[in-house]
Amino acid sequence: MESADEASKALLEKYRKGLVQIYTGNGKGKTTAAFGQALRALGQGYRVCVIQFMKGRKYGECLAAEQHLPGLTVHLTGLDSFVMRENPAPLDVELARQGFELARRAIASNDYEMVILDELNVAADFQLIPLAEIVNLIKDKPAGVDLILTGRYAPPELLALADTVTEMREVRHHYNAGVKDRAGIEF
Ligand code: ATP
Ligand code: MG
């Protein structure tokens, strides 16, 4: 027998509207903002799945999830090398498509209240994944699932479907002053 508390929580959950958020633009902070949102959601009991496109290396957020954050699942789908926009390697395309299948399954699974598709905007812009399939994924998502897409160059077709769009604008970045990539800041 569930308590009144549990029953009202279940009811709230049933009618919760999952939002679509996009973090794009050329300033720093898109992926880390998505993980900040994940942290907040985890604290409120969500189960969160992150799929990182075009990333073949465990960044700090992935390591933190493994070590400290049960409830946050992170999948990497890509190589630890740059993808060429005009001429992506067949393996880059294959891995992005595998990641997309994983995303489809995660969104439909009922196992997660929030799904974050990190750098999917870039994978769309590079045409690693057909834009129409991403559009359908967003349109057909279960109502309760919160979805976040990150990455530069978000195509207008995706922006049009989002409830919230935030553009990170570069005002200054330490890279341009010669500061090298640093563990804990860049990865
Ligand atoms: P972060 O992962 O730090 O939140 P991001 O997701 O906004 O950054 P990406 O476009 O995914 O940035 O690029 C990944 C890395 O490139 C980041 O770790 C970041 O420090 C670096 N970076 C982001 N923006 C810039 C920029 N405008 N100039 C130089 N390097 C940048
Ligand atoms: Mg990023």
Side-chain angles (χ1 to χ4, degrees):
M1 179 75 176
E2 62 181 359
S3 69
D5 247 21
E6 280 168 348
S8 61
K9 212 172 146 191
L11 213 57
L12 265 178
E13 190 53 37
K14 188 172 163 196
Y15 291 106
R16 195 169 62 86
K17 177 180 160 21
L19 298 167
V20 178
Q21 300 188 61
I22 296 184
Y23 306 150
T24 191
N26 64 356
K28 174 171 162 55
K30 300 170 291 291
T31 296
T32 46
F35 274 90
Q37 185 71 90
L39 193 62
R40 178 174 286 172
L42 283 168
Q44 300 292 359
Y46 290 42
R47 295 161 301 170
V48 182
C49 178
V50 184
I51 298 166
Q52 299 197 292
F53 290 86
M54 305 163 73
K55 281 184 181 167
R57 181 175 14 153
K58 290 181 182 178
Y59 286 26
E61 54 270 30
C62 181
L63 298 169
E66 285 180 356
Q67 291 164 29
H68 307 292
L69 298 166
L72 177 56
T73 306
V74 182
H75 297 281
L76 301 177
T77 67
L79 302 173
D80 191 20
S81 56
F82 282 107
V83 179
M84 283 181 293
R85 185 179 191 281
E86 304 310 328
N87 185 23
L91 184 54
D92 291 321
V93 177
E94 175 68 27
L95 290 170
R97 300 247 163 119
Q98 283 178 12
F100 194 66
E101 281 313 309
L102 209 57
R104 269 200 237 273
R105 288 202 295 275
I107 289 170
S109 67
N110 246 332
D111 290 340
Y112 304 105
E113 286 74 37
M114 179 179 284
V115 176
I116 297 174
L117 304 178
D118 184 38
E119 314 302 348
L120 184 63
N121 298 334
V122 184
D125 178 68
F126 285 21
Q127 297 181 15
L128 303 183
I129 299 160
L131 187 55
E133 291 192 31
I134 305 176
V135 166
N136 288 338
L137 182 83
I138 297 174
K139 283 188 173 163
D140 299 343
K141 81 168 179 63
V145 173
D146 273 283
L147 189 59
I148 302 178
L149 274 50
T150 86
R152 296 165 187 229
Y153 323 122
E157 291 87 343
L158 300 185
L159 298 183
L161 296 172
D163 298 288
T164 290
V165 176
T166 300
E167 182 168 342
M168 309 292 178
R169 181 173 65 88
E170 181 187 337
V171 174
R172 184 176 302 128
H173 193 288
H174 48 264
Y175 177 79
N176 296 316
V179 180
K180 296 254 182 293
D181 284 14
R182 188 191 304 166
I185 303 294
E186 264 77 41
F187 59 87

